[in-house]
PDB file of all heavy atoms in Angstrom:
ATOM      1  N   LYS A   3      66.128  43.491  98.854  1.00 64.00           N
ATOM      2  CA  LYS A   3      66.576  42.111  98.703  1.00 64.00           C
ATOM      3  C   LYS A   3      66.484  41.367 100.036  1.00 64.00           C
ATOM      4  O   LYS A   3      66.050  40.212 100.082  1.00 64.00           O
ATOM      5  CB  LYS A   3      68.012  42.083  98.178  1.00 64.00           C
ATOM      6  CG  LYS A   3      68.541  40.679  97.912  1.00 64.00           C
ATOM      7  CD  LYS A   3      69.959  40.725  97.367  1.00 64.00           C
ATOM      8  CE  LYS A   3      70.489  39.310  97.122  1.00 64.00           C
ATOM      9  NZ  LYS A   3      71.885  39.331  96.602  1.00 64.00           N
ATOM     10  N   THR A   4      66.878  42.047 101.108  1.00 67.00           N
ATOM     11  CA  THR A   4      66.819  41.437 102.444  1.00 67.00           C
ATOM     12  C   THR A   4      65.384  41.126 102.828  1.00 67.00           C
ATOM     13  O   THR A   4      65.076  40.043 103.336  1.00 67.00           O
ATOM     14  CB  THR A   4      67.442  42.384 103.492  1.00 67.00           C
ATOM     15  OG1 THR A   4      68.789  42.671 103.117  1.00 67.00           O
ATOM     16  CG2 THR A   4      67.433  41.748 104.870  1.00 67.00           C
ATOM     17  N   ARG A   5      64.479  42.094 102.592  1.00 64.00           N
ATOM     18  CA  ARG A   5      63.061  41.891 102.895  1.00 64.00           C
ATOM     19  C   ARG A   5      62.483  40.742 102.078  1.00 64.00           C
ATOM     20  O   ARG A   5      61.695  39.927 102.576  1.00 64.00           O
ATOM     21  CB  ARG A   5      62.267  43.168 102.613  1.00 64.00           C
ATOM     22  CG  ARG A   5      62.448  44.257 103.648  1.00 64.00           C
ATOM     23  CD  ARG A   5      61.639  45.497 103.279  1.00 64.00           C
ATOM     24  NE  ARG A   5      60.214  45.217 103.247  1.00 64.00           N
ATOM     25  CZ  ARG A   5      59.407  45.282 104.303  1.00 64.00           C
ATOM     26  NH1 ARG A   5      59.897  45.603 105.489  1.00 64.00           N
ATOM     27  NH2 ARG A   5      58.124  45.020 104.198  1.00 64.00           N
ATOM     28  N   LEU A   6      62.892  40.664 100.801  1.00 63.00           N
ATOM     29  CA  LEU A   6      62.374  39.619  99.920  1.00 63.00           C
ATOM     30  C   LEU A   6      62.811  38.238 100.396  1.00 63.00           C
ATOM     31  O   LEU A   6      61.993  37.312 100.486  1.00 63.00           O
ATOM     32  CB  LEU A   6      62.861  39.857  98.487  1.00 63.00           C
ATOM     33  CG  LEU A   6      62.412  38.824  97.435  1.00 63.00           C
ATOM     34  CD1 LEU A   6      60.896  38.810  97.327  1.00 63.00           C
ATOM     35  CD2 LEU A   6      63.056  39.125  96.086  1.00 63.00           C
ATOM     36  N   ILE A   7      64.099  38.107 100.719  1.00 73.00           N
ATOM     37  CA  ILE A   7      64.614  36.813 101.184  1.00 73.00           C
ATOM     38  C   ILE A   7      63.943  36.409 102.488  1.00 73.00           C
ATOM     39  O   ILE A   7      63.517  35.260 102.668  1.00 73.00           O
ATOM     40  CB  ILE A   7      66.150  36.875 101.356  1.00 73.00           C
ATOM     41  CG1 ILE A   7      66.828  37.065  99.993  1.00 73.00           C
ATOM     42  CG2 ILE A   7      66.661  35.598 102.030  1.00 73.00           C
ATOM     43  CD1 ILE A   7      68.320  37.298 100.078  1.00 73.00           C
ATOM     44  N   SER A   8      63.829  37.365 103.417  1.00 69.00           N
ATOM     45  CA  SER A   8      63.174  37.086 104.693  1.00 69.00           C
ATOM     46  C   SER A   8      61.720  36.688 104.482  1.00 69.00           C
ATOM     47  O   SER A   8      61.203  35.779 105.143  1.00 69.00           O
ATOM     48  CB  SER A   8      63.237  38.309 105.612  1.00 69.00           C
ATOM     49  OG  SER A   8      64.570  38.632 105.936  1.00 69.00           O
ATOM     50  N   GLY A   9      61.053  37.378 103.545  1.00 69.00           N
ATOM     51  CA  GLY A   9      59.660  37.066 103.246  1.00 69.00           C
ATOM     52  C   GLY A   9      59.495  35.658 102.700  1.00 69.00           C
ATOM     53  O   GLY A   9      58.567  34.937 103.077  1.00 69.00           O
ATOM     54  N   ILE A  10      60.408  35.248 101.814  1.00 78.00           N
ATOM     55  CA  ILE A  10      60.356  33.897 101.239  1.00 78.00           C
ATOM     56  C   ILE A  10      60.558  32.849 102.326  1.00 78.00           C
ATOM     57  O   ILE A  10      59.851  31.832 102.373  1.00 78.00           O
ATOM     58  CB  ILE A  10      61.425  33.747 100.133  1.00 78.00           C
ATOM     59  CG1 ILE A  10      61.066  34.636  98.934  1.00 78.00           C
ATOM     60  CG2 ILE A  10      61.539  32.290  99.697  1.00 78.00           C
ATOM     61  CD1 ILE A  10      62.142  34.707  97.877  1.00 78.00           C
ATOM     62  N   VAL A  11      61.509  33.109 103.218  1.00 79.00           N
ATOM     63  CA  VAL A  11      61.760  32.177 104.328  1.00 79.00           C
ATOM     64  C   VAL A  11      60.541  32.075 105.231  1.00 79.00           C
ATOM     65  O   VAL A  11      60.144  30.974 105.655  1.00 79.00           O
ATOM     66  CB  VAL A  11      62.993  32.620 105.144  1.00 79.00           C
ATOM     67  CG1 VAL A  11      63.140  31.766 106.403  1.00 79.00           C
ATOM     68  CG2 VAL A  11      64.253  32.517 104.293  1.00 79.00           C
ATOM     69  N   LEU A  12      59.917  33.215 105.533  1.00 77.00           N
ATOM     70  CA  LEU A  12      58.719  33.216 106.381  1.00 77.00           C
ATOM     71  C   LEU A  12      57.589  32.409 105.748  1.00 77.00           C
ATOM     72  O   LEU A  12      56.913  31.629 106.426  1.00 77.00           O
ATOM     73  CB  LEU A  12      58.245  34.657 106.617  1.00 77.00           C
ATOM     74  CG  LEU A  12      58.962  35.457 107.701  1.00 77.00           C
ATOM     75  CD1 LEU A  12      58.458  36.892 107.699  1.00 77.00           C
ATOM     76  CD2 LEU A  12      58.761  34.826 109.059  1.00 77.00           C
ATOM     77  N   VAL A  13      57.377  32.611 104.460  1.00 76.00           N
ATOM     78  CA  VAL A  13      56.314  31.885 103.754  1.00 76.00           C
ATOM     79  C   VAL A  13      56.600  30.386 103.762  1.00 76.00           C
ATOM     80  O   VAL A  13      55.698  29.569 103.979  1.00 76.00           O
ATOM     81  CB  VAL A  13      56.178  32.405 102.306  1.00 76.00           C
ATOM     82  CG1 VAL A  13      55.251  31.496 101.499  1.00 76.00           C
ATOM     83  CG2 VAL A  13      55.646  33.831 102.293  1.00 76.00           C
ATOM     84  N   ALA A  14      57.868  30.017 103.549  1.00 84.00           N
ATOM     85  CA  ALA A  14      58.249  28.598 103.545  1.00 84.00           C
ATOM     86  C   ALA A  14      57.987  27.966 104.915  1.00 84.00           C
ATOM     87  O   ALA A  14      57.436  26.862 105.013  1.00 84.00           O
ATOM     88  CB  ALA A  14      59.717  28.448 103.160  1.00 84.00           C
ATOM     89  N   LEU A  15      58.372  28.674 105.978  1.00 85.00           N
ATOM     90  CA  LEU A  15      58.142  28.171 107.329  1.00 85.00           C
ATOM     91  C   LEU A  15      56.653  28.064 107.636  1.00 85.00           C
ATOM     92  O   LEU A  15      56.198  27.095 108.261  1.00 85.00           O
ATOM     93  CB  LEU A  15      58.824  29.081 108.351  1.00 85.00           C
ATOM     94  CG  LEU A  15      60.353  29.048 108.372  1.00 85.00           C
ATOM     95  CD1 LEU A  15      60.892  30.109 109.325  1.00 85.00           C
ATOM     96  CD2 LEU A  15      60.864  27.666 108.772  1.00 85.00           C
ATOM     97  N   ALA A  16      55.895  29.076 107.181  1.00 81.00           N
ATOM     98  CA  ALA A  16      54.448  29.054 107.387  1.00 81.00           C
ATOM     99  C   ALA A  16      53.820  27.860 106.671  1.00 81.00           C
ATOM    100  O   ALA A  16      52.940  27.179 107.224  1.00 81.00           O
ATOM    101  CB  ALA A  16      53.823  30.359 106.896  1.00 81.00           C
ATOM    102  N   LEU A  17      54.266  27.595 105.463  1.00 84.00           N
ATOM    103  CA  LEU A  17      53.746  26.460 104.702  1.00 84.00           C
ATOM    104  C   LEU A  17      53.961  25.149 105.440  1.00 84.00           C
ATOM    105  O   LEU A  17      53.033  24.345 105.609  1.00 84.00           O
ATOM    106  CB  LEU A  17      54.413  26.395 103.323  1.00 84.00           C
ATOM    107  CG  LEU A  17      53.899  27.351 102.251  1.00 84.00           C
ATOM    108  CD1 LEU A  17      54.845  27.372 101.060  1.00 84.00           C
ATOM    109  CD2 LEU A  17      52.497  26.950 101.804  1.00 84.00           C
ATOM    110  N   VAL A  18      55.193  24.953 105.911  1.00 89.00           N
ATOM    111  CA  VAL A  18      55.521  23.701 106.603  1.00 89.00           C
ATOM    112  C   VAL A  18      54.688  23.546 107.868  1.00 89.00           C
ATOM    113  O   VAL A  18      54.069  22.503 108.107  1.00 89.00           O
ATOM    114  CB  VAL A  18      57.022  23.650 106.949  1.00 89.00           C
ATOM    115  CG1 VAL A  18      57.329  22.447 107.846  1.00 89.00           C
ATOM    116  CG2 VAL A  18      57.860  23.589 105.680  1.00 89.00           C
ATOM    117  N   CYS A  19      54.652  24.598 108.692  1.00 89.00           N
ATOM    118  CA  CYS A  19      53.975  24.511 109.991  1.00 89.00           C
ATOM    119  C   CYS A  19      52.461  24.374 109.850  1.00 89.00           C
ATOM    120  O   CYS A  19      51.828  23.579 110.548  1.00 89.00           O
ATOM    121  CB  CYS A  19      54.303  25.743 110.836  1.00 89.00           C
ATOM    122  SG  CYS A  19      56.027  25.844 111.323  1.00 89.00           S
ATOM    123  N   ILE A  20      51.877  25.153 108.936  1.00 88.00           N
ATOM    124  CA  ILE A  20      50.423  25.147 108.811  1.00 88.00           C
ATOM    125  C   ILE A  20      49.929  23.888 108.107  1.00 88.00           C
ATOM    126  O   ILE A  20      48.895  23.326 108.480  1.00 88.00           O
ATOM    127  CB  ILE A  20      49.944  26.417 108.090  1.00 88.00           C
ATOM    128  CG1 ILE A  20      50.207  27.634 108.988  1.00 88.00           C
ATOM    129  CG2 ILE A  20      48.464  26.328 107.756  1.00 88.00           C
ATOM    130  CD1 ILE A  20      49.884  28.960 108.351  1.00 88.00           C
ATOM    131  N   ILE A  21      50.653  23.426 107.099  1.00 87.00           N
ATOM    132  CA  ILE A  21      50.255  22.180 106.431  1.00 87.00           C
ATOM    133  C   ILE A  21      50.333  21.010 107.413  1.00 87.00           C
ATOM    134  O   ILE A  21      49.444  20.163 107.465  1.00 87.00           O
ATOM    135  CB  ILE A  21      51.142  21.918 105.196  1.00 87.00           C
ATOM    136  CG1 ILE A  21      50.815  22.943 104.094  1.00 87.00           C
ATOM    137  CG2 ILE A  21      50.933  20.503 104.670  1.00 87.00           C
ATOM    138  CD1 ILE A  21      51.736  22.881 102.899  1.00 87.00           C
ATOM    139  N   GLN A  22      51.392  20.998 108.234  1.00 87.00           N
ATOM    140  CA  GLN A  22      51.540  19.934 109.229  1.00 87.00           C
ATOM    141  C   GLN A  22      50.490  20.069 110.331  1.00 87.00           C
ATOM    142  O   GLN A  22      49.877  19.102 110.748  1.00 87.00           O
ATOM    143  CB  GLN A  22      52.944  19.988 109.844  1.00 87.00           C
ATOM    144  CG  GLN A  22      53.214  18.931 110.899  1.00 87.00           C
ATOM    145  CD  GLN A  22      53.200  17.523 110.339  1.00 87.00           C
ATOM    146  OE1 GLN A  22      53.566  17.300 109.185  1.00 87.00           O
ATOM    147  NE2 GLN A  22      52.764  16.563 111.140  1.00 87.00           N
ATOM    148  N   GLY A  23      50.278  21.305 110.795  1.00 82.00           N
ATOM    149  CA  GLY A  23      49.286  21.567 111.832  1.00 82.00           C
ATOM    150  C   GLY A  23      49.614  20.881 113.147  1.00 82.00           C
ATOM    151  O   GLY A  23      50.779  20.622 113.469  1.00 82.00           O
ATOM    152  N   ASN A  24      48.574  20.572 113.922  1.00 89.00           N
ATOM    153  CA  ASN A  24      48.701  19.805 115.164  1.00 89.00           C
ATOM    154  C   ASN A  24      49.789  20.353 116.091  1.00 89.00           C
ATOM    155  O   ASN A  24      49.903  21.554 116.273  1.00 89.00           O
ATOM    156  CB  ASN A  24      48.926  18.323 114.838  1.00 89.00           C
ATOM    157  CG  ASN A  24      47.756  17.734 114.086  1.00 89.00           C
ATOM    158  OD1 ASN A  24      46.605  17.937 114.456  1.00 89.00           O
ATOM    159  ND2 ASN A  24      48.037  17.023 113.003  1.00 89.00           N
ATOM    160  N   ALA A  25      50.596  19.458 116.687  1.00 92.00           N
ATOM    161  CA  ALA A  25      51.559  19.850 117.719  1.00 92.00           C
ATOM    162  C   ALA A  25      52.629  20.796 117.181  1.00 92.00           C
ATOM    163  O   ALA A  25      53.087  21.698 117.900  1.00 92.00           O
ATOM    164  CB  ALA A  25      52.208  18.609 118.318  1.00 92.00           C
ATOM    165  N   LEU A  26      53.047  20.609 115.929  1.00 93.00           N
ATOM    166  CA  LEU A  26      54.084  21.480 115.369  1.00 93.00           C
ATOM    167  C   LEU A  26      53.593  22.911 115.292  1.00 93.00           C
ATOM    168  O   LEU A  26      54.287  23.842 115.737  1.00 93.00           O
ATOM    169  CB  LEU A  26      54.489  20.994 113.972  1.00 93.00           C
ATOM    170  CG  LEU A  26      55.497  21.891 113.238  1.00 93.00           C
ATOM    171  CD1 LEU A  26      56.815  21.980 113.991  1.00 93.00           C
ATOM    172  CD2 LEU A  26      55.733  21.392 111.807  1.00 93.00           C
ATOM    173  N   LEU A  27      52.413  23.120 114.743  1.00 94.00           N
ATOM    174  CA  LEU A  27      51.869  24.470 114.621  1.00 94.00           C
ATOM    175  C   LEU A  27      51.607  25.072 115.996  1.00 94.00           C
ATOM    176  O   LEU A  27      51.865  26.257 116.222  1.00 94.00           O
ATOM    177  CB  LEU A  27      50.579  24.456 113.800  1.00 94.00           C
ATOM    178  CG  LEU A  27      49.895  25.809 113.593  1.00 94.00           C
ATOM    179  CD1 LEU A  27      50.832  26.800 112.908  1.00 94.00           C
ATOM    180  CD2 LEU A  27      48.619  25.656 112.794  1.00 94.00           C
ATOM    181  N   LEU A  28      51.106  24.267 116.914  1.00 95.00           N
ATOM    182  CA  LEU A  28      50.852  24.750 118.270  1.00 95.00           C
ATOM    183  C   LEU A  28      52.152  25.214 118.928  1.00 95.00           C
ATOM    184  O   LEU A  28      52.211  26.288 119.535  1.00 95.00           O
ATOM    185  CB  LEU A  28      50.209  23.653 119.109  1.00 95.00           C
ATOM    186  CG  LEU A  28      49.903  24.011 120.561  1.00 95.00           C
ATOM    187  CD1 LEU A  28      48.808  25.071 120.639  1.00 95.00           C
ATOM    188  CD2 LEU A  28      49.492  22.775 121.347  1.00 95.00           C
ATOM    189  N   THR A  29      53.204  24.417 118.805  1.00 95.00           N
ATOM    190  CA  THR A  29      54.494  24.744 119.416  1.00 95.00           C
ATOM    191  C   THR A  29      55.097  25.994 118.800  1.00 95.00           C
ATOM    192  O   THR A  29      55.566  26.894 119.516  1.00 95.00           O
ATOM    193  CB  THR A  29      55.475  23.570 119.257  1.00 95.00           C
ATOM    194  OG1 THR A  29      54.913  22.394 119.852  1.00 95.00           O
ATOM    195  CG2 THR A  29      56.807  23.886 119.929  1.00 95.00           C
TER     196      THR A  29
END
Side-chain angles (χ1 to χ4, degrees):
K3 183 179 179 181
T4 302
R5 285 179 62 87
L6 179 61
I7 294 173
S8 297
I10 292 172
V11 172
L12 279 174
V13 170
L15 290 174
L17 281 168
V18 172
C19 294
I20 292 175
I21 290 173
Q22 180 65 32
N24 298 314
L26 176 62
L27 180 58
L28 179 67
T29 302

